C-alpha cells in the first residue's frame, strides 16, 4: 500500500513559505490590528501567529496543535480579535491559495489502481474535514481512502508516532507500506526507522531561478515575493498549464510576472482616481489586456476594459490637419532623415502632382530621393504642400481621416463622460500627444488620464501639457556614467519590451478611413509567429494562478525593475533559440534592425578618422544590439577574445585622435559641439576619455557574461 504526505506533496500553496499566509490574514484584519500595532501590523500579527502555534505545540507535547487552540492563544495578546472570525479568515485564505501537484496525482491514481485505496498522512494544525475537502476537490481523495492528521490523533510523523497509528489502524506491516513525501526528516528518516519503504519527492520545490527571484524581491515586499514566485511555480507544476516549450518558459519567468505587476500598478491608479473605463492601445497592450481582465475579475472590481485600434501611422494621419491648419511639427519629427518619396507615399501625394508643384516653384526639391535632414530642405519641401492642387487634395484626404477617427472613437465610447484612462507603453509620448491633440480638437473638455509604462527624455514638451502618469521616467540630468544607470538601460530595451509584452500578432493599422493594414513584414522575419506564441503562453499563465497582489506604487516599480534586470541580464541559455533569427522591427519606417541574438564578430570597418568620435562616444564591444546578453551568450569564446584587441585598438586610436585634434585648437580642451533638440551640448576631451574608460570596463563585464555560460 502507498501513503502520501499532503502539503507540498499533494497540494501546494500560492506562497513560497507557509508563514507568508499569515501576512495575508493580517491584511484582512487590518482595521483591528492597526489600532494596536500601527503600520507594522502585518509583521506583528505574523510573528504572534507563529509564536502562538509554538506555545500550544509545546503545551500539548505530542502531535500538532488545533487551529482553535492557536487562536485562543492569539486572543491573549490581541484582545479585540474574534476567534471565530480569525479562524474563518485563515481557512478561507488557505482554501483559495491551494493548488494541486499533478505529478503526485499521477502517483496517487497509480496506487489506487494497484491497491484499491490510498492513505494520506499529514502533520497539520488544520481540521481533518478541511483537508479532506481540499483533497476531494482536486481529485486525490476517494471514498475508500484514509486520512490521518496529527492535530486530530495527537500523534506526529516528526517523531514517528503517527506512522505507528497508521500501521495499527490499517492492519498492515511496515514493509507493506511505501510512503511518499517532501520532508526528508519526517517523511523519509522517521518512516525508514520503522522499516517503512519511502520515496522522496519534491514536486513543489523551487527552482534555482525561482529562489533567485524570491531573494531579489523579498527586501522590497516579502508577501509579494512569496505570492509572485509561488504563482510562477504553480504555472510550472500544473498539468493543464505545464511549461511545454521555450515560449512558456520565458512567459513564466518574465512576460507573465512583469505584466502582472504592471497591471497591479494600473489598478492602483484606477482606484485612486475612481476610473471606470480603461482603454488599452493596440498593439502594445494586448498582453496587458489578458492579465488585467483576469485580475479585475478576481478583485471583483467594476472597471471596463476596451482594447482599441491605434497606431502611429493612423494617429499621425488624423492629427496632421486639425482645426483647418497643418501641424507640420508632427510630420517633421517622424520623417526627419527620411526621403521625400517616403513622405509622399505616406501622405498619398502622387508623383505627378508633386512634380507639377516643383515645376511651378523652383525652390521645391525635384529629387524625390533627397533626404530631409535639415531645416532648409524641409522648408523647401513643405512649399509643395502650399500648391493649390496638392493642398486641396491633401486637406480633403486628411479631413476624411480625421472624421473617420472621430467616428471610431465615438463608437467605442471614448467621448463619454465616464471617468476613463488610456494605457500605453509610452516611451516618447508621440501617440499620447497625437491622441490628446485629436480629442482636444473634438472639443473634449476633460481628457482621459494617460497611464504609461515609461517616458524617455522629453523632447516633445508640447505633449507633456496633456498630462500623464508613468512607472518609469528617464531623467534629463544624467552624468557621463549614464551607462551604469538602471533607468537608462531600461530604456535601451524598448523594442524588446514591445516585442515580448505586446503578444499581438496582428498587423498595424494604417488608416481609420480606409481600414488598411500597414505592415506585412512579420511573416518574413518570424516576429508575427513569435508574438502569437507568447500570446498563447500568456493566456495559460493568466488563467493558471493569478491572484491579487497588494503593494504600493513604489514597491511595484521596484519589482518591475528587478524582473527586467533579472531577465535581460541573466537570461537562460535556452532562450537564445527563440531569438537566433528574429529581428527587432521598427514598424514606423524601417523594415528591421539587427538580429536580436546575433553573435558578435570581429570587424575593422569602423577604423577611419571620421568614425572615431562616434566610436569613442557611442559604441561598445557588444554593439547596439537589442539584447546584448543574448548576443554574448551566442558568441564563441574564441571569437570574443579575438574581438577584444580590435576594440582596444579602436579605443586607443580614438583617444590619440582626440588628443591630436585638441592640440591643434587654441584651447587644449576645445569642446566638441553636438547639436540636439535642446540646443548645444558640449563634450570636451576629458568627457570623451571618461566615456572610453567606462567602455573599457564593459570589455571585462561582457567577458564575464560569456564565461558564465561557456
Amino acid at each position: 500500500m502507498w501513503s502520501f504526505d499532503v502539503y507540498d506533496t499533494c497540494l501546494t500553496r500560492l506562497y513560497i513559505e507557509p508563514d507568508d499566509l499569515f501576512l495575508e490574514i493580517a491584511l484582512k484584519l487590518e482595521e483591528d490590528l492597526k489600532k494596536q500595532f500601527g503600520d507594522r501590523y502585518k509583521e506583528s500579527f505574523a510573528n504572534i501567529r507563529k509564536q502562538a502555534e509554538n506555545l500550544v505545540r509545546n503545551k500539548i507535547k505530542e502531535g500538532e496543535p488545533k487551529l482553535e487552540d492557536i487562536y485562543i492563544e492569539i486572543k491573549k495578546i490581541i484582545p479585540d480579535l474574534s476567534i471565530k472570525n480569525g479562524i474563518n479568515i485563515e481557512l478561507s485564505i488557505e482554501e483559495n491559495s491551494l493548488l494541486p501537484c499533478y505529478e503526485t496525482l499521477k502517483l496517487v491514481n497509480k496506487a489506487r489502481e494497484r491497491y484499491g485505496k490510498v492513505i494520506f498522512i499529514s502533520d497539520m494544525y488544520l481540521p481533518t474535514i478541511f483537508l479532506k475537502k481540499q483533497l476531494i476537490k482536486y481529485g486525490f481523495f476517494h471514498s475508500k481512502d484514509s486520512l490521518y492528521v496529527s492535530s486530530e490523533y495527537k500523534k506526529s510523523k516528526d517523531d514517528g508516532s503517527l506512522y505507528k497509528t497508521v500501521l495499527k489502524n490499517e492492519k498492515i506491516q511496515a514493509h507493506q507500506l511505501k510512503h511518499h513525501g517532501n520532508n526528508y526528516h519526517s517523511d523519509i528518516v522517521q518512516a525508514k526507522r520503522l522499516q517503512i519503504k519511502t520515496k522522496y519527492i519534491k514536486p513543489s520545490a523551487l527552482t534555482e531561478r525561482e529562489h533567485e527571484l524570491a531573494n531579489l524581491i523579498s527586501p522590497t515586499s516579502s508577501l509579494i515575493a512569496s505570492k509572485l514566485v509561488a504563482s510562477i511555480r504553480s504555472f510550472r507544476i500544473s498539468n493543464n498549464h505545464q511549461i511545454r516549450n521555450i515560449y512558456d518558459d520565458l512567459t513564466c519567468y518574465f512576460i507573465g510576472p512583469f505584466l502582472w505587476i504592471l497591471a497591479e500598478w494600473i489598478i492602483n491608479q484606477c482606484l485612486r482616481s475612481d476610473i471606470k473605463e480603461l482603454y488599452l492601445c493596440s498593439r502594445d497592450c494586448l498582453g496587458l489586456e489578458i492579465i488585467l481582465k483576469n485580475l479585475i475579475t478576481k478583485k471583483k472590481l467594476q472597471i471596463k476594459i476596451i482594447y482599441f485600434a491605434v497606431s502611429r501611422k493612423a494617429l499621425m494621419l488624423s492629427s496632421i490637419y486639425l482645426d483647418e491648419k497643418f501641424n507640420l511639427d508632427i510630420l517633421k519629427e517622424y520623417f526627419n532623415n527620411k526621403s521625400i518619396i517616403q513622405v509622399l507615399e505616406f501622405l498619398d501625394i502622387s508623383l505627378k502632382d508633386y512634380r507639377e508643384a516643383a515645376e511651378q516653384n523652383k525652390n521645391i526639391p525635384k529629387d524625390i530621393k533627397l533626404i530631409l535632414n535639415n531645416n532648409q530642405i524641409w522648408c523647401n519641401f513643405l512649399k509643395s504642400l502650399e500648391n493649390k492642387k496638392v493642398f486641396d487634395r491633401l486637406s480633403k484626404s486628411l479631413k476624411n481621416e480625421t472624421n473617420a477617427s472621430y467616428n471610431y472613437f465615438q463608437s467605442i465610447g471614448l467621448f463619454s463622460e465616464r471617468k476613463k484612462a488610456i494605457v500605453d507603453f509610452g516611451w516618447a509620448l508621440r501617440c499620447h500627444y497625437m491622441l490628446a491633440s485629436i480629442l482636444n480638437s473634438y472639443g473634449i473638455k476633460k481628457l482621459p488620464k494617460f497611464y504609461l509604462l515609461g517616458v524617455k527624455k522629453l523632447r516633445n514638451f508640447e505633449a507633456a501639457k496633456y498630462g500623464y502618469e508613468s512607472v518609469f521616467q528617464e531623467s534629463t540630468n544624467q552624468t557621463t556614467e549614464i551607462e551604469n544607470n538602471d533607468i537608462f538601460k531600461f530604456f535601451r530595451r524598448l523594442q524588446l519590451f514591445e516585442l515580448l509584452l505586446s503578444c499581438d500578432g496582428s498587423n498595424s493599422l494604417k488608416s481609420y478611413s480606409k481600414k488598411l493594414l500597414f505592415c506585412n513584414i512579420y511573416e518574413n522575419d518570424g516576429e508575427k509567429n513569435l508574438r502569437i506564441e507568447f500570446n498563447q503562453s500568456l493566456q495559460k499563465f493568466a488563467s493558471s494562478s493569478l491572484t491579487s497582489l497588494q503593494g504600493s506604487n513604489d514597491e511595484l516599480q521596484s519589482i518591475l525593475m528587478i524582473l527586467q534586470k533579472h531577465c535581460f541580464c541573466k537570461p537562460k541559455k535556452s532562450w537564445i533559440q527563440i531569438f537566433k533569427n528574429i529581428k527587432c522591427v521598427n514598424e514606423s519606417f524601417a523594415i528591421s534592425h539587427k538580429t536580436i541574438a546575433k553573435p558578435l564578430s570581429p570587424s575593422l570597418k569602423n577604423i577611419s578618422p571620421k568614425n572615431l568620435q562616434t566610436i569613442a562616444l557611442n559604441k561598445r564591444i557588444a554593439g547596439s544590439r537589442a539584447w546584448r546578453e543574448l548576443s554574448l551568450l551566442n558568441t564563441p569564446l574564441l571569437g570574443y577574445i579575438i574581438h577584444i584587441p580590435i576594440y582596444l585598438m579602436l579605443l586607443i586610436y580614438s583617444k590619440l585622435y582626440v588628443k591630436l585634434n585638441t592640440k591643434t585648437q587654441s584651447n587644449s580642451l576645445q569642446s566638441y559641439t553636438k547639436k540636439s533638440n535642446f540646443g548645444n551640448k558640449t563634450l570636451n576631451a576629458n568627457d570623451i576619455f571618461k566615456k572610453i574608460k567606462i567602455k573599457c570596463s564593459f570589455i571585462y563585464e561582457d567577458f564575464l557574461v560569456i564565461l558564465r555560460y561557456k
Side-chain angles (χ1 to χ4, degrees):
M1 196 170 292
W2 285 6
S3 63
F4 293 85
D5 171 46
V6 176
Y7 270 79
D8 292 326
T9 301
C10 295
L11 304 173
T12 188
R13 293 183 176 101
L14 279 174
Y15 303 92
I16 56 177
E17 294 293 341
D19 295 349
D20 295 329
L21 183 141
F22 305 153
L23 296 170
E24 195 80 39
I25 298 170
L27 287 172
K28 299 289 185 182
L29 298 169
E30 178 180 0
E31 189 175 336
D32 294 332
L33 297 176
K34 264 196 169 182
K35 296 175 185 176
Q36 187 171 344
F37 301 106
D39 292 337
R40 298 276 304 168
Y41 71 96
K42 287 187 293 185
E43 293 78 7
S44 299
F45 177 81
N47 288 330
I48 291 168
R49 171 64 179 77
K50 285 186 283 186
Q51 291 170 13
E53 184 180 330
N54 291 331
L55 284 170
V56 178
R57 184 180 287 111
N58 292 334
K59 286 179 182 178
I60 62 174
K61 307 264 184 188
E62 291 183 337
E64 286 290 312
K66 290 187 176 181
L67 189 59
E68 184 178 0
D69 295 333
I70 294 172
Y71 272 87
I72 290 172
E73 197 69 37
I74 293 173
K75 190 170 177 64
K76 295 177 182 178
I77 306 171
I78 310 174
D80 293 338
L81 178 68
S82 165
I83 293 175
K84 183 178 180 180
N85 187 40
I87 291 173
N88 288 339
I89 288 173
E90 178 157 346
L91 290 177
S92 175
I93 293 174
E94 187 79 51
E95 182 174 8
N96 292 329
S97 75
L98 290 176
L99 289 168
C101 301
Y102 280 98
E103 288 300 313
T104 308
L105 183 57
K106 292 177 184 177
L107 293 174
V108 169
N109 291 334
K110 182 179 178 181
R112 189 175 291 109
E113 289 176 7
R114 185 179 297 180
Y115 302 108
K117 71 174 292 185
V118 179
I119 301 169
F120 297 92
I121 311 171
S122 179
D123 276 352
M124 179 52 68
Y125 48 79
L126 294 170
T128 301
I129 190 171
F130 175 85
L131 292 181
K132 184 179 289 187
K133 178 184 175 183
Q134 305 313 313
L135 289 169
I136 292 171
K137 178 180 177 180
Y138 293 108
F140 287 92
F141 195 90
H142 287 195
S143 57
K144 293 182 180 179
D145 297 340
S146 300
L147 172 61
Y148 294 84
V149 182
S150 59
S151 60
E152 179 183 340
Y153 284 88
K154 303 300 181 185
K155 305 290 183 181
S156 172
K157 287 190 300 178
D158 193 59
D159 61 9
S161 59
L162 189 56
Y163 291 118
K164 293 177 182 179
T165 300
V166 171
L167 295 174
K168 180 180 178 181
N169 290 358
E170 298 296 328
K171 298 178 181 180
I172 56 175
Q173 299 296 315
H175 68 273
Q176 294 177 297
L177 182 65
K178 184 176 183 180
H179 183 67
H180 303 70
N182 75 305
N183 188 299
Y184 190 75
H185 174 73
S186 62
D187 289 318
I188 306 301
V189 173
Q190 291 297 342
K192 281 186 174 181
R193 284 180 179 173
L194 297 172
Q195 306 304 311
I196 295 172
K197 297 175 185 176
T198 62
K199 185 174 182 179
Y200 186 42
I201 58 174
K202 299 198 297 180
S204 60
L206 297 179
T207 64
E208 181 182 351
R209 195 170 191 88
E210 288 160 1
H211 273 297
E212 288 175 358
L213 275 175
N215 292 335
L216 288 169
I217 298 172
S218 288
T220 302
S221 171
S222 58
L223 182 56
I224 293 178
S226 179
K227 295 176 75 173
L228 184 66
V229 174
S231 294
I232 292 172
R233 175 182 62 186
S234 72
F235 179 71
R236 175 174 54 82
I237 68 176
S238 168
N239 184 51
N240 295 326
H241 310 286
Q242 198 169 25
I243 295 176
R244 303 179 189 279
N245 53 46
I246 304 173
Y247 304 100
D248 288 347
D249 196 41
L250 186 50
T251 298
C252 177
Y253 288 108
F254 173 63
I255 298 173
F258 190 91
L259 288 174
W260 184 2
I261 299 297
L262 178 57
E264 292 285 359
W265 181 87
I266 291 168
I267 289 172
N268 278 358
Q269 302 298 100
C270 289
L271 294 177
R272 189 176 67 183
S273 301
D274 195 28
I275 297 297
K276 300 301 181 184
E277 293 180 345
L278 267 179
Y279 286 80
L280 308 182
C281 296
S282 67
R283 290 175 312 145
D284 289 349
C285 296
L286 181 60
L288 194 57
E289 181 199 28
I290 296 168
I291 298 292
L292 272 169
K293 281 187 173 179
N294 277 272
L295 273 182
I296 286 171
T297 300
K298 288 182 183 294
K299 292 172 181 279
K300 299 179 181 178
L301 300 174
Q302 299 300 314
I303 301 175
K304 185 180 179 181
I305 301 289
I306 301 100
Y307 183 68
F308 73 116
V310 65
S311 70
R312 298 180 188 92
K313 291 281 184 179
L315 286 177
M316 192 170 8
L317 283 172
S318 301
S319 58
I320 287 177
Y321 191 72
L322 294 174
D323 300 324
E324 301 297 325
K325 60 182 180 181
F326 283 107
N327 184 353
L328 298 176
D329 289 339
I330 294 176
L331 197 67
K332 291 175 71 174
E333 181 183 3
Y334 270 82
F335 284 96
N336 196 41
N337 290 318
K338 304 297 178 184
S339 64
I340 290 175
I341 185 64
Q342 287 178 285
V343 185
L344 296 178
E345 288 174 352
F346 173 75
L347 295 175
D348 199 21
I349 298 173
S350 70
L351 292 179
K352 180 182 176 182
D353 288 349
Y354 178 77
R355 284 173 177 145
E356 285 180 5
E359 289 293 335
Q360 295 172 19
N361 188 331
K362 294 183 179 180
N363 290 327
I364 298 174
K366 294 182 179 180
D367 183 6
I368 59 174
K369 294 182 180 179
L370 185 67
I371 302 299
L372 297 160
N373 57 7
N374 64 56
N375 287 332
Q376 186 60 50
I377 295 175
W378 266 109
C379 184
N380 291 337
F381 165 71
L382 292 176
K383 288 177 181 178
S384 66
L385 304 186
E386 298 172 4
N387 178 273
K388 187 177 187 308
K389 188 176 182 180
V390 173
F391 178 84
D392 289 346
R393 290 184 179 180
L394 181 60
S395 58
K396 182 180 178 181
S397 172
L398 294 177
K399 279 181 182 178
N400 289 337
E401 188 65 33
T402 303
N403 292 335
S405 66
Y406 176 87
N407 293 332
Y408 173 69
F409 293 150
Q410 186 179 48
S411 71
I412 61 175
L414 200 52
F415 300 154
S416 72
E417 294 182 358
R418 292 185 292 273
K419 285 191 175 182
K420 59 179 66 66
I422 295 174
V423 179
D424 198 5
F425 283 175
W427 311 147
L429 293 183
R430 288 166 178 161
C431 287
H432 161 259
Y433 170 60
M434 290 185 290
L435 191 53
S437 298
I438 294 168
L439 296 178
N440 194 49
S441 71
Y442 295 155
I444 307 300
K445 294 180 181 179
K446 192 170 183 180
L447 293 175
K449 289 183 175 292
F450 286 86
Y451 297 148
L452 311 172
L453 172 57
V455 175
K456 296 173 69 176
K457 289 181 185 177
L458 279 180
R459 289 176 171 79
N460 189 347
F461 291 104
E462 189 71 16
K465 75 178 184 182
Y466 291 116
Y468 63 86
E469 294 179 54
S470 66
V471 183
F472 299 109
Q473 174 83 51
E474 189 176 17
S475 172
T476 57
N477 298 315
Q478 292 178 347
T479 63
T480 53
E481 289 79 15
I482 194 170
E483 304 267 4
N484 294 324
N485 187 295
D486 287 338
I487 294 291
F488 176 79
K489 291 178 180 178
F490 172 87
F491 283 101
R492 283 281 296 273
R493 300 180 176 121
L494 299 187
Q495 282 188 322
L496 269 176
F497 281 117
E498 291 184 3
L499 175 64
L500 297 177
L501 302 180
S502 76
C503 304
D504 190 338
S506 63
N507 291 333
S508 182
L509 183 73
K510 179 181 179 181
S511 163
Y512 286 110
S513 62
K514 299 174 184 177
K515 297 183 180 178
L516 295 175
L517 299 176
F518 171 67
C519 298
N520 58 5
I521 56 179
Y522 304 114
E523 297 286 359
N524 299 324
D525 61 24
E527 183 176 337
K528 179 177 181 178
N529 292 332
L530 190 72
R531 289 172 182 254
I532 292 171
E533 289 284 357
F534 283 137
N535 185 299
Q536 294 171 352
S537 296
L538 192 63
Q539 295 277 4
K540 292 191 290 184
F541 181 88
S543 62
S544 65
S545 55
L546 286 188
T547 183
S548 177
L549 298 177
Q550 291 180 279
S552 68
N553 282 352
D554 287 342
E555 288 174 336
L556 297 174
Q557 181 189 41
S558 177
I559 293 168
L560 283 172
M561 184 60 72
I562 290 167
L563 287 171
Q564 68 91 22
K565 283 176 65 178
H566 190 246
C567 171
F568 290 118
C569 297
K570 196 176 180 183
K572 283 189 177 183
K573 194 172 182 180
S574 60
W575 295 347
I576 294 174
Q577 297 175 37
I578 300 178
F579 301 99
K580 189 170 286 185
N581 300 309
I582 301 294
K583 297 177 181 178
C584 255
V585 173
N586 179 344
E587 68 178 46
S588 295
F589 304 107
I591 295 298
S592 63
H593 291 297
K594 295 178 181 177
T595 304
I596 294 173
K598 185 178 180 180
L600 304 175
S601 58
S603 174
L604 297 173
K605 67 180 181 180
N606 286 325
I607 303 182
S608 64
K610 69 176 183 178
N611 288 333
L612 288 176
Q613 187 177 338
T614 303
I615 294 167
L617 293 175
N618 298 326
K619 296 206 174 180
R620 62 179 295 165
I621 193 163
S624 57
R625 287 165 173 79
W627 196 337
R628 182 181 64 86
E629 289 77 12
L630 280 185
S631 293
L632 292 168
L633 300 191
N634 208 16
T635 301
L637 185 59
L638 180 60
Y640 187 81
I641 293 173
I642 293 172
H643 206 154
I644 291 175
I646 296 173
Y647 188 71
L648 285 173
M649 182 174 65
L650 290 173
L651 290 175
I652 294 169
Y653 189 18
S654 61
K655 185 173 180 180
L656 291 172
Y657 178 78
V658 171
K659 280 187 175 181
L660 289 171
N661 273 273
T662 52
K663 284 181 180 178
T664 62
Q665 307 289 340
S666 58
N667 184 346
S668 62
L669 291 178
Q670 178 69 34
S671 294
Y672 289 94
T673 301
K674 183 180 180 181
K675 297 285 184 182
S676 72
N677 291 337
F678 294 111
N680 291 334
K681 178 181 177 182
T682 59
L683 290 166
N684 59 42
N686 284 340
D687 291 330
I688 294 174
F689 297 157
K690 286 180 182 178
K691 284 181 173 288
I692 292 172
K693 185 178 179 181
I694 292 170
K695 292 179 190 305
C696 285
S697 70
F698 288 154
I699 295 176
Y700 180 67
E701 178 187 327
D702 291 348
F703 188 64
L704 290 181
V705 172
I706 289 185
L707 283 181
R708 188 167 69 230
Y709 288 89
K710 298 300 180 184

